[in-house]
Amino acid sequence: MQKERDAAGTDSKKSVLVLISRLSKNDFKTKYAGSYLGIFWAFVQPVVTIFVYWFVFSTLRAGRVRDVPYVLWLIAGLIPWFFFQDALNSGTTSLIEYSYLVKKVVFNIDVLPIVKLCSSLYVHLFFMAVLVLIYTLMGYFPGLTVIQILYYSAAMFIMVLGLCYFTSAVDIFFRDLTQIINIVLQVGVWMTPIMWNFEDLNIKGPLIYIFKANPMYYIVEGYRDSMINKVWFWERPFLTLYFWAVTALFFWIGRIVFKKLKVHFADVL
């Protein structure tokens, strides 16, 4: 009997993974369905944004940061932010977008935020490869620490998933949340050291701890540690422990809110 239960549990997990895979691929394809260039548009906006920031900030500052060209320093911070921004926005509206599935009694709606994040992950994986390629072509291949961007990507995925369980549940009852998140993201990109550097601004005192309290600081600096500084994540123990404590809190609150509100989703939608 125990073996049969274990086998049933394994099959159930496999079916959930297959469902997530199929839905995320379909979501990625249908997002740009009807346009002539299709999924090409998923990559256009990030590339244009990189070039705009590169042009603007390279004319306002010196050409190098931490002994690398500014563009390399910039894209190491922008690429994780692009995923965070897209995943949080799409994950927040996942239940509303898939309302026809939420209303199905037998459907496991817990997977819908994961589906949206996986859909965003496809683009992020592409840009991770582009990031490594650009560094290599410009003669700044980071070495073994490059594998660490997989760790930081996984850490960011888990953090955003916890946030999306909360925001997707609340968004059904409070539709203004989407607009609030857009404003927070607009402010957040400047509160995170993506286009600017702590060393340049000579920030000291309590203010630096406020900036570092932002969980995305850990991710952005982690990408730069992997690509530029060649520092492993365990060499920053306090930041690592802080990030995972905050992520665990996000996930715990997100799951509690999601479970408590789940019984009302179909009625409201």
Side-chain angles (χ1 to χ4, degrees):
M1 287 291 292
Q2 185 62 40
K3 290 182 178 180
E4 291 178 358
R5 289 174 183 170
D6 292 341
T10 302
D11 291 340
S12 176
K13 290 178 182 178
K14 286 181 179 179
S15 63
V16 170
L17 292 175
V18 170
L19 176 64
I20 292 173
S21 176
R22 288 178 179 175
L23 284 175
S24 61
K25 289 177 182 177
N26 183 68
D27 182 88
F28 181 65
K29 292 177 182 177
T30 56
K31 190 182 295 185
Y32 304 96
S35 60
Y36 287 109
L37 297 179
I39 62 173
F40 177 72
W41 290 113
F43 309 98
V44 171
Q45 184 176 352
V47 170
V48 171
T49 303
I50 288 172
F51 276 108
V52 169
Y53 284 144
W54 179 21
F55 174 77
V56 171
F57 286 94
S58 62
T59 58
L60 296 177
R61 53 163 300 115
R64 300 175 74 85
V65 181
R66 298 180 188 175
D67 296 324
V68 299
Y70 177 71
V71 64
L72 296 184
W73 185 86
L74 174 67
I75 61 176
L78 272 178
I79 286 175
W81 181 265
F82 286 150
F83 172 77
F84 174 74
Q85 179 177 264
D86 184 54
L88 183 58
N89 274 325
S90 59
T92 297
T93 59
S94 59
L95 300 181
I96 294 175
E97 188 172 336
Y98 286 100
S99 59
Y100 62 94
L101 292 177
V102 175
K103 294 175 183 179
K104 289 186 176 181
V105 179
V106 296
F107 187 81
N108 181 10
I109 62 175
D110 294 53
V111 306
L112 293 178
I114 303 176
V115 167
K116 279 295 187 179
L117 266 64
C118 287
S119 178
S120 299
L121 189 61
Y122 295 138
V123 178
H124 183 60
L125 291 174
F126 170 80
F127 278 107
M128 283 170 58
V130 170
L131 177 68
V132 176
L133 179 62
I134 292 175
Y135 269 73
T136 303
L137 292 176
M138 293 185 68
Y140 291 90
F141 182 73
L144 189 59
T145 53
V146 69
I147 64 174
Q148 205 171 221
I149 61 175
L150 297 174
Y151 157 75
Y152 284 108
S153 294
M156 180 167 49
F157 186 98
I158 295 170
M159 179 190 70
V160 180
L161 180 58
L163 287 172
C164 287
Y165 273 124
F166 175 84
T167 57
S168 62
V170 174
D171 191 50
I172 292 178
F173 303 91
F174 182 60
R175 301 294 176 93
D176 292 343
L177 180 62
T178 304
Q179 304 304 322
I180 294 173
I181 288 175
N182 285 330
I183 294 173
V184 170
L185 288 171
Q186 288 177 18
V187 175
V189 72
W190 297 104
M191 292 292 290
T192 309
I194 295 174
M195 274 76 73
W196 53 274
N197 187 13
F198 277 125
E199 297 171 4
D200 295 338
L201 300 181
N202 196 27
I203 298 175
K204 296 179 181 179
L207 189 59
I208 195 170
Y209 296 105
I210 294 174
F211 281 115
K212 289 184 177 181
N214 175 4
M216 279 304 293
Y217 169 85
Y218 176 75
I219 300 297
V220 168
E221 285 300 296
Y223 268 68
R224 288 175 177 149
D225 281 346
S226 304
M227 303 302 299
I228 301 171
N229 304 323
K230 298 178 176 59
V231 175
W232 296 97
F233 71 89
W234 57 78
E235 295 181 59
R236 302 191 186 278
F238 297 110
L239 270 178
T240 299
L241 289 173
Y242 168 76
F243 171 83
W244 284 110
V246 171
T247 297
L249 181 63
F250 284 166
F251 208 93
W252 178 65
I253 294 175
R255 288 299 296 162
I256 287 178
V257 171
F258 193 91
K259 287 182 178 179
K260 286 192 174 182
L261 297 179
K262 184 163 62 172
V263 294
H264 305 291
F265 290 165
D267 296 332
V268 176
L269 291 172

